[in-house]
Every structure is written in C-alpha cells, then in structure tokens.
Amino acid sequence: MDTDKTRTQSIIDKHQGLQKNLIAILLDVQECFNYLPPDALRHVAKALDMPLIDILGVATFYRAFSLKPRGKHTCLVCLGTACHVRGGPKILEELERKLAIPAGETTKDGQFTLETVACLGCCAIGPVVVVDGEYHGHATIRKIGPILEKYQKPAAS
Amino acid sequence: MKQYRAHLLVCAGTGCVSCGAFKIKAALEQEVKKRNLQDEIQVVATGCNGFCERGPIVLVQPDGIFYQLLQVEDVPHLVEEHLLKGRPVKKLMYVPPAEKQPVPKMKDIEFFKHQRLIVLRNRGRIDPEKIEEYIAFDGYEALAKALSEMTPQAVIDEILFSGLRGRGGAGFPTGKKWAAAAKEKRSPKYLICNGDEGDPGAFMDRSVLEADPHAVLEGMIIGAKAVGASKGFVYIRHEYPLALKRMEIAIAQARESGLLGQDILGTGFDFDLEIVQGAGAFVSGEESALIASVEGRIAMPRQRPPYPAQRGLWGQPTVINNVETWATVPNIIRRGADWFQGLGTETSKGTKIFALVGKIANTGLVEVPMGISLREIVYGIGGGIPDKRDFKAVQIGGPSGGCLPAKLLDLPVDYESLTAAGAMMGSGGMIVMDDKTCMVDIAKYFLNFLQDESCGKCVSCREGTQRMYEIVKAITEGKGKESDLALLEELAQITKDASMCGLGQTAGNPVLTTLRYFRHEYEAHILDKRCPAGVCKSLIRYVVLAEKCTGCQSCKKACPNDCIKGTLKDIHLIDQSKCIKCGACKEACKFEAIEEQRDEAIQII
C-alpha cells in the first residue's frame, strides 16, 4: 500500500503538484496502475488541495480514464466513420461474442478488456483492431479468433 | 554534412507504421549494412507520405522511384537490384487500377500529381526528428524574417491580407483573431495549438504533427511575436503517441537552437511552449472547452463572447488556432501574402488538407487548392470507388458535417459552398460511401457519436441528440412511423438553434443532409420496411443462393450459432429462426453464394 502511495506521490511531484496538470497526473496514474484506483484519486485530491468530486468529475468526463481495473490485454476496436462503413460494427460484435462481454467490460478471468475508439487515424487499413498497441488491419470476422488466440496462449502455458 | 548517393525514405506515419514500416526500415538498414553500403546509402524515416492505402512505402531519392506494399521479404531483392545493379524493381511499383504497366516515379502517380503541397511540403522528404533537415528546406527562415525585418503589426497585416482562415472547421479569419488579441493591453498572453483532432475519419493534424512538427512551432513563434504572447501550449490527443513524441523532440531541439525560450535569435524576444495531452473528449476541440481542458478541468464549453482573444486561458488574452493553420503561417510570411492570395477562391484562400477515406481506391491524405471540385478529389486523386461499385455520397466535416450526393460532385470545395450545401469544411475528413452504405445507418452512427460526446450542458443538445438517435435507431429496426421524419427535422432544427457551442449547433447536420438528399432511403425503411443498401440487420436476412452454392461447408464452419444446415456438396440452408445476422457466412463463402436479401419486405414470422 505504501508503495502505491509513493508511486502516486512521485507522479504528482513530476507534474509539480499543480492543479492545471490534473489531467496529465491522472493519465500517468492510469498508466501506472492500469486504472484509477480510489485510493490514488483520494491521494491526488489531497495533494492538489481539490475536492474529490472535482477529481472524479474529470476522471469520469474523459474517455481515456477507467475507474474499474482493466484486463491484462486491452483490445481496442476502431469505430471511426471509415471503419464503420467498412464493417467495423461486425468486428466488434464478433469480439463481444468471442469474449462474452459487451464493449467497455473486462472478461471474468481478467485477460481482456474490450474497448472502442472513435478513430485511430489509420483508415487505410480499416477495419482496425488494436491489441496491446499492436495493429491488426483489414480485420474480418474470421481473423478475430486467431488474433485473440495469439494473446491467450502465453497466459495458458 | 555527409553525402550519400541515395536516400531511402521510409514513410513512418501512423498508417504505414501500423502496417510494419519500422520492420521494413530495420530490414533495409540491415541489408544495406550487410552489403557494406552504409556510407553510400542512408535510410531515413519520414513523416506520413499521404498514400496510406499503399503502405509500407519507400521512396528512393534522387531517382524518385516509389515502392509500395512492401514486405520484409522484398527488401534484399530491392537493395540488390535497385541499389547495386541500378535496376528499379518493377513488381514493387504502383500499378494504377485497370492498367498493367507500373508507374515508377512518384511525381507521375495520379494520386500525387494533382496535389498542391504547401503545409505538407516536407512530407516524406525530411526526417521530422531532425531540425537540421527542416532548416535545410527553408525552415525558420520566416521566423527570422518576422523577428528581424517585420513589426508585429506588419506580421498581423500580412496574415490578414493573405485571407488565411482557420482550418479547424469554422473558418474564422486568422488575422482578425490575432489583431483582437494584439489589441488587448493585459499580459501575459497565451497561444494554444489545437491538436485535439476528434473527428472520426480525419487525421490531417496528426499527420502534420508527425511529418513536420517544426512548421507548427515556427508558426506559433511567429504568432507569439505578432500578438505579444509569452507562453504557448500544444494540445495533442493522447491517442496520437507518435505525434506527441515528435513534438517533444521538436520543442527540445528548438530550445537547444535558441529558437524557443529566452532571447530568441538574439532579438530579445521570449517565448516558450509546453505540450498538453488530451484525454479523449470530442467536445474539447471547441475552443472554450479546450481552454478548460488545458486548465485541467472538465472540457465544457462556455458562452462566447467574451472570445478567447479577450478572455481565454486563466482569463488572459489567448489565440487558439488549429495545427494546420499554424503550419500555414510560416509559408505565408516566407513567400508573402500576395502569393497566398493567388491560391484558392475569392473567399477561401490557399490549400486545404483532406483525409480521403472510406470506400475509395486510394485512401490517404491529400492537400489541394481551395475551390477544387469534389469530383477531382474523389475520382482524380482518389481513383474512384473500388470493387466496381457506385458512388453514393461523400461525408464531409465530421459528425457536424453532412452527406453530399452524386449530383453535387461538381461542387467547388470552399467554406461557403459546403455550408450552403448543408455540410461544412470541418477539419477536413472526407468519407466516401458506395451503394452498400445505408444513409439512415450513417445518420444513426453520427447521432450515436454525438449523443455520447455531448457534454450535457445545454438541454437542447443533450436531449436532442439522444431523442434523434432513438428515433433513427427505431427506423433502422423497422419500427419507424411516417410522422418520424417531420419530428426529426423539428428536433434537428431546435438542437441547432438552441445549443451554445459548435457541437450542438451542428449536431442536426447529419440528419438534415441525409433527409435532404436521401429521403427515399428513410421512406424505404419506414414504409416498405426495407433497407436498400442491405445494412440494417433487422431488415435483411441472409440466404443461400442455390445456383451458386457448391456445398463446401465453409459457411457452416464459420457460423457461430450453428444455424446452417447441409451436408458436403449439397446446397446449404440458413435457419432464419436461429440466425443472428453476424455476416460470418457471407464473409466465409468464396462463391458469392450468400446474399443479404432485402428486395421485399421481410415478414417477421
């Protein structure tokens, strides 16, 4: 617990403990813990001398933040207009079926978090699925199974 | 500086990187080293080349040979043939659709031929992570001119006279913004670069930031001098890691070279820049919301006036311009307002970058003079619609824009013409749609996006977008009523009239333009319970075409719900009561034997 506290504090220090850097602080906290833990938010509120409700307001307003722990792998489906007209929604549905969770949720075994994004800007290779920062372009329903297996395997072995 | 006999320019924009550009670069470097050519040949990673459809891309200079769709396996052959034996490799060159002969040189390819590069002048030719390369192509010349030869007023006059208008969407004259901020006596004054490019299908700002970050910096430093600002912020979406990285490098290099910080170029002028990361909110692209976000608060727009030029960041005078606008500024100062005036139309000067995406042969980023027709962009540069399908519409201006039909293909692209047609310039996303795209579904898509991104401050926008979404969704499910169309029009108009910021004021556009140009599609959904494009799930069913089915069982294996019956070599049958319409069978079929049936009203049995 103490180490979590010092990690949060060092992030706050990195941003000079300034209120204007709240978003940057929260982005770093999220990167550190993979989500925004309640204790860390309380800590940030105290350190920046801000009401917790304002911190929570920012944390829930922006899409980048998650208040729930996320899975080991993040699976991001682009639903930008270009991906949409090329069949992005069908890819999302297949992922929802395969992982048995709706978009925005994490699988029970904590392996995958399924998220959507409004555009990644690589429209030429749409529809796009990004797993842990790795791009899988020209996605089709049939490619989804093998893509997921690639990330599932190391965990099983 | 070391001289090389050839340069291999590897496109390292996000599009190509996601197709493996860095792997190609590493393979090229390895191969060059293996053959002991490292003193003769240099491998360079450049910013986005624009022709994303053909990535990964390598341009060989000085020959100007354009290689595309490269695989790591192609690299040894390419190095040996082209760089050792001097024989360009034909099979790796671009072959235009419907032609057989490859086009070796980049400048001869249709996609590049019709473009006019000003903002993107350095794309694909310099390493964006090296300030020396930017300087070698006249970089920071405009800054030196603005700081040593021009008064702040002269800079503002030059920008005013050039007719430059904001490239972020609304098209407000940039010079007027600067003049208003310069007039304010209070200090400090701030500058903001708006790189919160939230429109789905638009990536020109990211591309500029990735390909030529110093152009943005130079524009901002010139702007700072003109209005008397001491501090600037570059706001970039966190979804753009490469742009963030390159901007950080550029700022550090500019500081080292005395182009940022104290006493810039020895003229006694101080200005510094800081990067602010966005956290994913479409509405933060609106200027007053962006200010709130830079201050670390919820990105909620506020009432204007006072405009940011009077009361902006922390209540101080602030100039906010879009990435593309800032990157245009050095060109105007260097080459003069007269030159810029000569490009474009009466009211829209210069060039504009568009992201050409969707159902188009040549997906990519194009910079064209204002006033060019949609047809020239879609067919001339874009190469038309792939798979021999018909053009249906082009969606311009992001979620706030509109869908324009084929009859408007000859419309000149400028701020006024687009607005009159019901769309808008927006940030410049151009999504091409073919006859397999359902316009009601598109309206539903944008409404869903908008109702999700509405910040909730104005009732008209918060409730209006949600109600419109519900109505359009019901229509796509075959539950629409005839009276819905009038209701939609009314709601769209009220959302437009009664909302405070640009998001709400334009939220009705996707509905209004689809209703204006594609009313018959709405009517087909409502009256005939039919989706003419075969997209809306509730109104189609997948059927096996008996004459084409070979009984190969591919579809049966692909079906996740086990609802296809049929033994090997027998015609298969889809059990409609179990079908979830996922489309997996259609994708799996190699014989085009599965089709979305939509010709008649689907009777729900």
Side-chain angles (χ1 to χ4, degrees):
Chain A
M1 200 56 231
D2 271 348
T3 52
D4 280 2
K5 228 176 191 172
T6 45
R7 276 152 89 189
T8 310
Q9 188 58 45
S10 67
I11 290 169
I12 297 167
D13 293 342
K14 186 182 142 201
H15 296 284
Q16 300 99 39
L18 294 175
Q19 290 189 358
K20 80 167 177 79
N21 293 339
L22 175 62
I23 294 172
I25 292 170
L26 294 184
L27 280 171
D28 281 354
V29 169
Q30 166 136 320
E31 188 161 330
C32 177
F33 298 101
N34 209 13
Y35 79 113
L36 296 176
D39 283 340
L41 291 181
R42 281 192 202 97
H43 187 123
V44 171
K46 222 176 235 165
L48 299 190
D49 192 23
M50 286 172 79
L52 185 59
I53 183 75
D54 286 353
I55 309 277
L56 215 58
V58 169
T60 50
F61 185 86
Y62 293 97
R63 202 169 269 277
F65 301 123
S66 168
L67 295 173
K68 281 185 282 185
R70 299 202 289 182
K72 198 171 152 199
H73 306 288
T74 305
C75 186
L76 197 59
V77 185
C78 182
L79 289 183
T81 325
C83 284
H84 180 89
V85 299
R86 290 187 181 192
K90 281 185 179 156
I91 304 298
L92 177 65
E93 282 165 24
E94 176 69 6
L95 275 160
E96 289 180 329
R97 269 195 304 274
K98 280 252 151 61
L99 297 172
I101 44 166
E105 298 287 321
T106 301
T107 51
K108 273 205 186 106
D109 59 5
Q111 283 295 310
F112 288 97
T113 296
L114 181 60
E115 284 176 351
T116 61
V117 61
C119 186
L120 291 165
C122 43
C123 311
I125 56 167
V128 183
V129 177
V130 181
V131 188
D132 297 344
E134 201 177 337
Y135 288 75
H136 301 273
H138 301 294
T140 58
I141 299 169
R142 285 204 292 174
K143 281 187 190 167
I144 297 303
I147 290 175
L148 289 178
E149 270 165 37
K150 203 178 139 188
Y151 297 89
Q152 269 159 342
K153 264 186 188 153
S157 62
Chain B
M1 229 165 131
K2 205 167 170 179
Q3 295 283 320
Y4 293 94
R5 90 173 147 90
H7 292 262
L8 303 179
L9 305 174
V10 184
C11 174
T14 294
C16 282
V17 169
S18 50
C19 309
F22 283 127
K23 283 184 197 147
I24 299 287
K25 185 176 177 248
L28 280 170
E29 279 167 337
Q30 202 191 348
E31 197 61 29
V32 164
K33 216 169 163 195
K34 204 169 115 191
R35 294 174 188 272
N36 212 15
L37 293 168
Q38 66 270 28
D39 292 327
E40 296 173 42
I41 289 155
Q42 192 185 23
V43 184
V44 182
T46 69
C48 175
N49 212 308
F51 205 176
C52 308
E53 185 73 36
R54 297 282 158 171
I57 291 167
V58 172
L59 182 67
V60 183
Q61 288 291 31
D63 315 3
I65 305 289
F66 183 83
Y67 290 118
Q68 41 106 51
L69 296 174
L70 291 177
Q71 305 280 331
V72 173
E73 303 84 79
D74 298 329
V75 168
H77 184 63
L78 174 79
V79 171
E80 175 165 339
E81 283 294 306
H82 190 146
L83 298 165
L84 276 178
K85 300 183 180 161
R87 290 194 294 236
V89 186
K90 278 199 174 149
K91 70 169 180 140
L92 300 174
M93 291 174 187
Y94 171 71
V95 182
E99 281 178 43
K100 288 201 176 77
Q101 281 305 311
V103 184
K105 298 211 174 188
M106 178 165 159
K107 64 176 173 55
D108 298 326
I109 294 172
E110 289 290 314
F111 180 80
F112 295 104
K113 229 158 95 181
H114 304 281
Q115 295 193 47
R116 178 74 196 259
L117 302 183
I118 292 173
V119 177
L120 294 173
R121 67 192 183 94
N122 283 330
R123 78 167 183 198
R125 77 170 179 191
I126 67 165
D127 181 342
E129 297 182 10
K130 291 196 177 126
I131 191 170
E132 310 83 56
E133 299 202 5
Y134 178 66
I135 292 171
F137 286 101
D138 309 325
Y140 289 109
E141 197 183 300
L143 176 67
K145 187 175 168 189
L147 290 187
S148 56
E149 294 169 26
M150 297 170 85
T151 62
Q153 189 55 47
V155 174
I156 294 175
D157 288 344
E158 195 78 1
I159 298 296
L160 259 178
F161 182 65
S162 74
L164 174 64
R165 295 169 69 174
R167 299 297 193 237
F172 190 80
T174 307
K176 276 195 187 166
K177 237 185 212 181
W178 290 18
K183 218 170 65 191
E184 293 292 316
K185 297 275 179 291
R186 292 176 303 135
S187 65
K189 292 178 191 173
Y190 297 109
L191 295 189
I192 297 179
C193 170
N194 186 348
D196 188 63
E197 187 173 50
D199 285 8
F203 52 93
M204 58 289 301
D205 290 350
R206 191 203 66 204
S207 190
V208 173
L209 290 166
E210 283 176 4
D212 208 5
H214 285 287
V216 180
L217 292 191
E218 189 179 1
M220 289 187 81
I221 308 168
I222 293 170
K225 177 68 184 176
V227 304
S230 54
K231 176 97 204 227
F233 297 88
V234 186
Y235 191 97
I236 303 178
R237 293 173 76 193
H238 80 114
E239 288 98 330
Y240 289 174
L242 196 59
L244 279 160
K245 181 184 143 210
R246 295 214 170 126
M247 191 41 108
E248 269 169 33
I249 294 172
I251 289 180
Q253 287 173 341
R255 267 196 209 123
E256 249 171 56
S257 312
L259 296 163
L260 267 182
Q262 308 249 303
D263 192 21
I264 294 172
L265 292 175
T267 57
F269 172 60
D270 302 339
F271 178 68
D272 210 349
L273 275 170
E274 198 178 300
I275 295 179
V276 180
Q277 265 193 58
F282 175 66
V283 72
S284 53
E286 198 276 343
E287 58 179 16
S288 63
L290 189 78
I291 288 173
S293 190
V294 174
E295 290 173 359
R297 296 184 289 118
I298 291 174
M300 208 176 249
R302 64 158 175 79
Q303 190 68 44
R304 295 174 305 169
Y307 289 98
Q310 286 109 30
R311 286 185 65 81
L313 202 56
W314 295 295
Q316 296 299 120
T318 305
V319 171
I320 302 187
N321 281 133
N322 161 271
V323 172
E324 200 183 328
T325 316
W326 287 120
T328 310
V329 168
N331 294 292
I332 296 174
I333 299 297
R334 198 178 66 249
R335 305 184 65 169
D338 282 331
W339 160 80
F340 194 78
Q341 269 272 343
L343 295 162
T345 67
E346 190 59 36
T347 53
S348 308
K349 300 293 180 193
T351 55
K352 176 80 190 86
I353 310 176
F354 291 99
L356 196 55
V357 301
K359 304 278 185 76
I360 183 102
N362 302 337
T363 296
L365 207 65
V366 302
E367 182 172 359
V368 289
M370 292 273 193
I372 190 173
S373 74
L374 284 169
R375 188 183 300 281
E376 283 172 86
I377 298 180
V378 173
Y379 287 94
I381 298 172
I385 320 296
D387 305 329
K388 293 190 183 127
R389 303 217 71 93
D390 292 329
F391 172 93
K392 185 188 262 184
V394 54
Q395 206 280 344
I396 302 178
S400 324
C403 298
L404 305 178
K407 68 171 184 199
L408 292 178
L409 267 174
D410 291 307
L411 192 78
V413 175
D414 61 56
Y415 291 99
E416 279 70 26
S417 309
L418 289 178
T419 308
M424 66 186 273
M425 185 73 82
S427 62
M430 243 185 216
I431 296 113
V432 180
M433 297 165 186
D434 66 3
D435 56 349
K436 297 278 267 184
T437 314
C438 169
M439 301 315 286
V440 186
D441 177 68
I442 288 296
K444 180 177 83 169
Y445 166 82
F446 282 117
L447 286 169
N448 186 29
F449 179 85
L450 289 165
Q451 62 104 13
D452 202 27
E453 294 290 348
S454 169
C455 78
K457 187 166 182 163
C458 307
V459 180
S460 52
C461 172
R462 183 181 68 226
E463 299 296 327
T465 51
Q466 271 181 35
R467 293 294 90 77
M468 284 192 282
Y469 171 65
E470 285 163 10
I471 295 168
V472 174
K473 188 165 174 272
I475 294 175
T476 61
E477 287 165 355
K479 297 174 196 155
K481 298 187 294 286
E482 259 187 280
S483 57
D484 282 348
L485 297 186
L487 182 60
L488 270 177
E489 272 166 332
E490 193 187 344
L491 276 169
Q493 201 54 50
I494 292 172
T495 310
K496 261 186 140 160
D497 292 343
S499 302
M500 193 188 70
C501 84
L503 191 151
Q505 284 164 7
T506 55
N509 283 355
V511 173
L512 291 175
T513 53
T514 45
L515 272 173
R516 181 163 153 193
Y517 300 117
F518 301 96
R519 200 181 189 91
H520 53 280
E521 288 200 27
Y522 281 87
E523 286 164 354
H525 283 74
I526 295 171
L527 302 175
D528 311 337
K529 308 288 176 212
R530 188 170 73 86
C531 174
V535 172
C536 297
K537 263 188 171 184
S538 313
L539 304 178
I540 55 164
R541 63 176 164 201
Y542 287 93
V543 290
V544 178
L545 301 175
E547 66 276 17
K548 285 188 179 170
C549 180
T550 62
C552 72
Q553 296 201 313
S554 297
C555 59
K556 198 175 164 184
K557 282 179 206 142
C559 179
N561 220 24
D562 215 8
C563 56
I564 300 182
K565 288 191 193 78
T567 48
L568 194 64
K569 294 189 179 165
D570 267 342
I571 294 165
H572 291 14
L573 195 70
I574 301 173
D575 181 350
Q576 296 297 334
S577 65
K578 277 164 80 185
C579 177
I580 54 168
K581 295 171 190 169
C582 68
C585 52
K586 183 166 192 254
E587 190 193 289
C589 181
K590 294 183 200 79
F591 308 96
E592 292 176 3
I594 293 175
E595 186 183 75
E596 302 100 347
Q597 204 177 54
R598 55 185 184 271
D599 293 338
E600 309 149 67
I602 306 278
Q603 298 293 320
I604 297 157
I605 308 160

